[in-house]
Amino acid sequence: VSHFLRVLEKAVEEMRSWWNLKSWWLNWEEDFDSTTIDLPINGFIPDWFIPEVDEKMSIYQKLSSSANEKLLNEIISDIEEEYWKIPLELRNLEKLLKLKIKASKVKIKKIFTRWWENWKEVVFLLSSSTKPEKIFQLFTVNQKWQIRGDSVAILMDDLSANWFGEVERSVEVLR
């Protein structure tokens, strides 16, 4: 009997954990405020451009806290005025942050690449509030998008040479 009670207690505890996880997930969905971007683009501030670590960290903080494109553009403009020509890596960071701002507005949880042996794909992990008619708008950008439950994906080979621009346009049609 005591063995049965221990097994039962363990099962009840697992159920409570599952319900807590489910509750956390639902609340996270409601409190959603940011998107994670994990794409194969080198976006950073090169050491040769801003060698001082504290200064570089301050700029990273300003960039990451920019809540809209207008503020981000102002920060980039300030950097350009102070340090002269913006390097490619920082322009890439700017593009990634703009994508994150746009994706957050339409509540895309994550944009990432998945790599397999013979192929790679771009995946959008969508929130439950994404309307089906908006998802179907992706086909106006590229008909090769695949709908998979709570995500959409497209093979990198099915994107144009300007694949990042196509990803940006795909996020924009979800508005």
Side-chain angles (χ1 to χ4, degrees), residues 22-154:
K22 183 177 177 186
S23 173
W24 171 83
W25 178 258
L26 292 173
N27 289 335
W28 180 83
E29 179 83 19
E30 292 169 7
D31 296 340
F32 174 83
D33 67 346
S34 186
T35 300
T36 302
I37 306 287
D38 187 8
L39 294 173
I41 294 180
N42 288 323
F44 60 94
I45 302 171
D47 290 339
W48 60 264
F49 185 65
I50 301 176
E52 178 61 41
V53 174
D54 291 340
E55 198 169 339
K56 188 185 300 187
M57 291 306 295
S58 174
I59 292 172
Y60 274 127
Q61 288 173 340
K62 287 177 188 175
L63 290 169
S64 67
S65 67
S66 56
N68 59 55
E69 283 190 59
K70 182 180 178 193
L71 182 57
L72 180 60
N73 289 337
E74 289 173 8
I75 295 167
I76 293 292
S77 179
D78 290 346
I79 294 169
E80 201 163 26
E81 284 178 19
E82 188 169 343
Y83 296 97
W84 199 244
K85 187 177 179 189
I86 302 281
L88 176 64
E89 298 88 352
L90 183 50
R91 286 287 178 210
N92 286 344
L93 179 59
E94 176 186 12
K95 286 172 38 175
L96 289 166
L97 290 169
K98 285 181 178 182
L99 180 65
K100 180 177 180 173
I101 290 166
K102 290 174 186 174
S104 291
K105 286 181 183 175
V106 295
K107 297 195 178 200
I108 295 174
K109 297 177 193 175
K110 185 173 185 175
I111 299 176
F112 61 101
T113 48
R114 188 177 335 201
W115 304 69
W116 298 97
E117 290 179 19
N118 300 330
W119 53 271
K120 53 190 166 188
E121 66 182 358
V122 175
V123 180
F124 291 4
L125 183 59
L126 305 171
S127 76
S128 61
S129 64
T130 307
K131 296 185 180 350
E133 58 270 14
K134 292 293 184 183
I135 295 171
F136 286 116
Q137 288 295 314
L138 288 172
F139 296 112
T140 64
V141 177
N142 189 317
Q143 294 182 350
K144 302 277 185 154
W145 279 100
Q146 302 168 22
I147 301 170
R148 303 178 182 162
D150 65 347
S151 67
V152 293
I154 189 165

